Amino acid sequence: MNMAEQKKEEQLKWWQLSLIGIGCTIGTGYFLGSAIGIKATGASIIFSFLLAALGTYIVYHLLAQMTAQDPQKGSFCYYAGKAFGRWAGFSCGWNYWTSNILIMGSQLTALSILSRFWFPNVPIWLFASGYAILSILVVLGGTKGFDRVENIMAIAKVAAIIMFIILAAAAIAGWIPGNAPNPSLPLSQDRLFPEGWQGFGSSLIYAFYAFGGIEVIGLMAMQLKKKEDAPKAGSVMLILLTAIYIASLALAVSMASIGAFNEKESPFVTALSGYDLSFFPHVFNAAIIIAGFSTLTAALFGVTTLLVTLGEDGDAPKFFSKTTKGKRKLPVPSLGLAVAGMLASIIASLLLPGKIYEYITTAAGIMLLYNWSFIILSSLKILKLSLWEKLIAAAGIVLIAAAVAGTLLEKIGRSGFFISLLFAVIIGLMCLVMRKHWKKDPASG
């Protein structure tokens, strides 16, 4: 690709990257996963989200600084390799690829179950296949097609959350009839921390999971017109996300008892279930489907883009670095492996009992946090940070460590933690096998 073509591709403005960030981030982890967090810790889920927002900001800010200083297609994996050597970039890349393959399978299963809300007799596998094909078509549309779809879905998801906030405020004001209990601020101990500090600790992973997706923004930052705008794009994105997350969750926990929330229903549907709003479950079910499809497509785009880079760097077979000729330059081999992994993940999600697959998807969330740790640790070696910035980076590590350690406090999280360790060991063994190849390569460092 010559410089003129490359410049033509780099058409993103900072606000467009912010929108893509929102599109990649708001998913079923927020619309559904937050209900599990509320069940675990009560109204203090608001504090969990505030801590997760802080941790996410630290990670993205450091990633954006590295991107502005040294823009690279491999993004966070390139920086890990630059900071710690070939093994770190290899581990980071395959860790991210594996976790997102698992996430895609779980998203497809969730989308299929949600779609049966309207079509209960249609088999799950048929819906899963349909959503998978749609996602592949979006990615085949290239970067511009992906940008356009994510922007539209980002607007739809934010509109759904704002709709909930407006309806909830109207319900509290008494403008909507119903038989719901009177809303009240959850300030008592039994509503703020019904399960104590143990419940609060175990809820952190669900809050962090709701902010997952910034890795794709690191990959997309290469398309910015001005690379130095990457930190601003992330800051605006996170401020907007945090504001709507906290406002909507605060309203939800004020409008229903903590015991009413469960993982099978969005907390926002639960909050308004006592009011005469028959249309709301349908609208919000559609919003959750949009959110899940957005996350699915972002994950597919991310793993496809990353595998091309891994192939170019020699951390995957060179075959996966090949792209089609022409303007779009589609990475067909890389996309093919991602689709094969997605298919295997769908089969696993349909055959394995629900709880077991929940363990696997929890493991995927923990594995993403492993990559976030790589981002922070890499920045400490690559960037010239002030003492204050180093302290902030250390705080980010502490928050991530707390979220990972918190998974040991509950059964599902504990199983997910050990599964994530199993994947980490497998990737570590792959590193040992690759050492002989790297020793022959003088560029391996």
Side-chain angles (χ1 to χ4, degrees), residues 299-360:
L300 181 59
F301 178 87
V303 296
T304 302
T305 303
L306 185 61
L307 188 54
V308 171
T309 305
L310 290 173
E312 291 172 346
D313 294 342
D315 289 336
K318 289 289 183 184
F319 172 72
F320 292 112
S321 65
K322 292 182 178 181
T323 58
T324 58
K325 295 179 180 179
K327 291 183 179 180
R328 290 188 179 180
K329 295 188 178 299
L330 299 173
V332 176
S334 174
L335 179 61
L337 184 62
V339 171
M342 185 163 57
L343 179 60
S345 199
I346 295 170
I347 294 171
S349 69
L350 297 178
L351 296 181
L352 293 175
K355 286 294 180 183
I356 293 178
Y357 202 70
E358 281 182 31
Y359 301 152
I360 297 175

Side-chain angles (χ1 to χ4, degrees), residues 157-309:
K157 288 186 284 188
V158 173
I161 298 171
I162 292 174
M163 178 187 70
F164 165 76
I165 292 173
I166 293 171
L167 288 175
I172 290 174
W175 299 342
I176 300 176
N179 57 359
N182 292 327
S184 61
L185 291 174
L187 300 178
S188 62
Q189 177 73 21
D190 61 327
R191 292 187 69 188
L192 272 177
F193 297 97
E195 301 298 328
W197 290 107
Q198 180 175 336
F200 181 74
S202 65
S203 72
L204 284 172
I205 189 66
Y206 303 109
F208 269 98
Y209 195 73
F211 283 97
I214 60 166
E215 305 83 6
V216 177
I217 310 310
L219 296 169
M220 291 295 295
M222 280 296 293
Q223 304 300 326
L224 275 173
K225 280 186 177 181
K226 297 179 180 178
K227 304 296 187 296
E228 61 271 20
D229 283 345
K232 177 167 67 175
S235 297
V236 171
M237 173 192 77
L238 287 171
I239 288 170
L240 177 59
L241 272 179
T242 303
I244 60 179
Y245 276 3
I246 297 303
S248 55
L249 286 170
L251 286 167
V253 296
S254 298
M255 298 176 70
S257 64
I258 300 303
F261 297 98
N262 65 81
E263 65 276 10
K264 296 180 181 179
E265 183 178 67
S266 171
F268 312 109
V269 173
T270 303
L272 289 175
S273 60
Y275 297 90
D276 297 336
L277 295 167
S278 58
F279 70 90
F280 187 74
H282 295 274
V283 173
F284 227 72
N285 194 62
I288 298 172
I289 288 174
I290 290 172
F293 183 75
S294 175
T295 303
L296 166 68
T297 307
L300 181 59
F301 178 87
V303 296
T304 302
T305 303
L306 185 61
L307 188 54
V308 171
T309 305

Side-chain angles (χ1 to χ4, degrees), residues 9 133-149 297 300-301 304 324 327-331 335:
E9 275 197 1
I133 292 169
L134 283 176
S135 180
I136 293 166
L137 290 174
V138 171
V139 173
L140 285 174
T143 302
K144 287 185 178 179
F146 173 74
D147 298 347
R148 193 176 298 115
V149 171
T297 307
L300 181 59
F301 178 87
T304 302
T324 58
K327 291 183 179 180
R328 290 188 179 180
K329 295 188 178 299
L330 299 173
L335 179 61

Side-chain angles (χ1 to χ4, degrees), residues 378-395:
S378 299
S379 72
L380 290 171
K381 291 202 71 173
I382 293 173
L383 299 173
K384 293 181 179 179
L385 301 174
S386 65
L387 177 60
W388 174 246
E389 288 174 319
K390 288 179 180 177
L391 289 173
I392 291 175

